[in-house]
Amino acid sequence: MSSDAPPPLGERISGLFEPAQLMIWAMSHYFRVCTEAVFQKGQVLAPLLQTGRLRDEAFGRFWIEFSSTPARTAAIEPNSEDEANNAPVGSSALIPPLLKTASGVVLDIGPGTGTQMPLLRSPAIKAIYGAEPCAGLHAELRKKAASEGLAEKYTILPCGVAAAELVPALADVGVDVDSGGVFDTILCVRVLCSVPEMERTVRELYRLLKPGGRLLITEHVVNPWRTAKGSLAGRLAQAVYQFLGWSWYIGDCHLDRDTEKVLRVAAEGDGGWESMQLDRCFEWSAMPYLSGTLVKKSG
C-alpha cells in the first residue's frame, strides 16, 4: 500500500531537482581525487587507467562526508529533517522502526560508515556481519561499532553481496553457509539500488535466510508512474539523472530498479514469501521508496 500523500505542487517540483545536489556533491569528490592523483601524486594516467580505484576512493570520501553531515543529508531528501525536534521524517523516518525489529544473527548489507548502527544495539541481536565492499569506509565502520558498544558483535566482511564474494568472506570468519540459511535477519537499507545483478543477488540473500528469517528493506525504487500515485515527471527525472552519470558517481546506484518485482520472484521456488508487508512512499518524487518486512516460509 502507499502511505503518503503528495505535498504541494511547489514542493513536488523542487523535489525533482533535489537528487541533483547529491550527484554534484559526489562529482566534486571524484574530480578532486583525480586532480590529487595527477598533480600531487604524479599519477598522470590514473584517471584513464585506474578509474576503478579512483571511483572507490572518491565514493568513500563522499559517503563519509555525506553520512556524517545530517544537515546536508536533509537537503537532498524530501522532508528528511524536522528542525523543530530533530526527529527524522521523510525516508529517514522509515528506518528506525524497521531496524529495531532485527534479531538473532544479522547480515548487514552495505553498512557504509555504520550510520544505522545505533539502531542495532538490541540484546536480541547475537551477532552482526557487515558486508561492505568499499575499503575506504572500513575505518569509520570499525570506529562506529566501537562507539556503539558493538565491537564484539560486529564483524566487517570486506566484500560485496554477490555469493562469489560473500560466501568465501563468511567462511573466512567461520560461518558455513553450505547447509543453507544461516541468518535470522538480513538488512538492506539503500543498498539494493547498487548491487550488481540484483535478481541473482536477491535470490542468494533469500537462500541465506533461515526458515522464518526476515528480510528488512528500505530502498528507493523506480517511480511507478503508470499508477495513480506515481509521477511521470519523477520517472523522467530518474531517466535524466541516469543519463548524466548518476550510477558512475554514486557508487553504481540505480534510480530505476523495480525492486518489489525482484523480491517477489526470489521466493517463487518456495511458493512465495510467508508474508510481505511493504509500504510505498514518496511516489510523487524522483526517489520513491519501498520499505517493510518479508518473511521466509518456516517449512
Side-chain angles (χ1 to χ4, degrees), residues 37-276:
V38 173
F39 296 104
Q40 294 182 15
K41 301 176 183 178
Q43 300 169 348
V44 178
L45 297 179
L48 295 176
L49 303 180
Q50 300 180 40
T51 54
R53 177 180 66 82
L54 297 181
R55 285 180 68 205
D56 184 73
E57 182 179 348
F59 181 72
R61 291 188 191 182
F62 157 70
W63 198 252
I64 289 171
E65 185 178 322
F66 168 76
S67 59
S68 62
T69 315
R72 295 184 74 178
T73 303
I76 56 95
E77 288 191 335
N79 305 315
S80 65
E81 192 77 12
D82 184 342
E83 294 180 358
N85 58 17
N86 203 37
V89 292
S91 63
S92 296
L94 302 174
I95 301 170
L98 190 68
L99 266 58
K100 286 180 179 179
T101 68
S103 62
V105 181
V106 176
L107 177 62
D108 189 5
I109 300 298
T113 59
T115 53
Q116 316 302 339
M117 218 175 288
L119 303 173
L120 302 176
R121 295 179 296 190
S122 169
I125 295 177
K126 298 177 181 177
I128 309 171
Y129 295 87
E132 177 50 64
C134 185
L137 301 178
H138 289 179
E140 291 292 324
L141 192 54
R142 290 190 187 93
K143 186 187 303 183
K144 191 66 174 179
S147 69
E148 296 297 333
L150 294 173
E152 298 299 318
K153 283 187 177 182
Y154 205 102
T155 301
I156 299 174
L157 304 175
C159 66
V161 69
E165 299 178 45
L166 182 57
V167 171
L170 287 168
D172 287 344
V173 295
V175 179
D176 180 13
V177 301
D178 290 338
S179 58
V182 294
F183 295 106
D184 300 287
T185 309
I186 296 179
L187 310 178
C188 294
V189 177
R190 299 170 176 154
V191 67
L192 293 179
C193 58
S194 60
V195 298
E197 300 181 85
M198 184 172 66
E199 293 83 356
R200 179 177 178 179
T201 295
V202 173
R203 287 197 303 269
E204 292 165 349
L205 290 177
Y206 177 82
R207 185 179 69 85
L208 291 174
L209 276 175
K210 293 179 180 178
R214 295 174 301 134
L215 179 64
L216 309 182
I217 72 151
T218 297
E219 298 286 345
H220 66 80
V221 297
V222 65
N223 190 290
W225 64 276
R226 291 186 176 90
T227 67
K229 291 191 176 182
S231 166
L232 177 58
R235 182 67 190 94
L236 291 174
Q238 289 180 326
V240 170
Y241 290 127
Q242 285 293 140
F243 177 77
L244 293 176
W246 174 274
S247 297
W248 175 267
Y249 297 108
I250 314 288
D252 295 317
C253 172
H254 293 76
L255 293 170
D256 53 1
R257 287 186 167 177
D258 190 348
T259 303
E260 182 174 356
K261 178 181 178 181
V262 173
L263 289 167
R264 290 184 182 278
V265 169
E268 282 184 348
D270 291 336
W273 296 88
E274 182 173 297
S275 67
M276 292 181 67

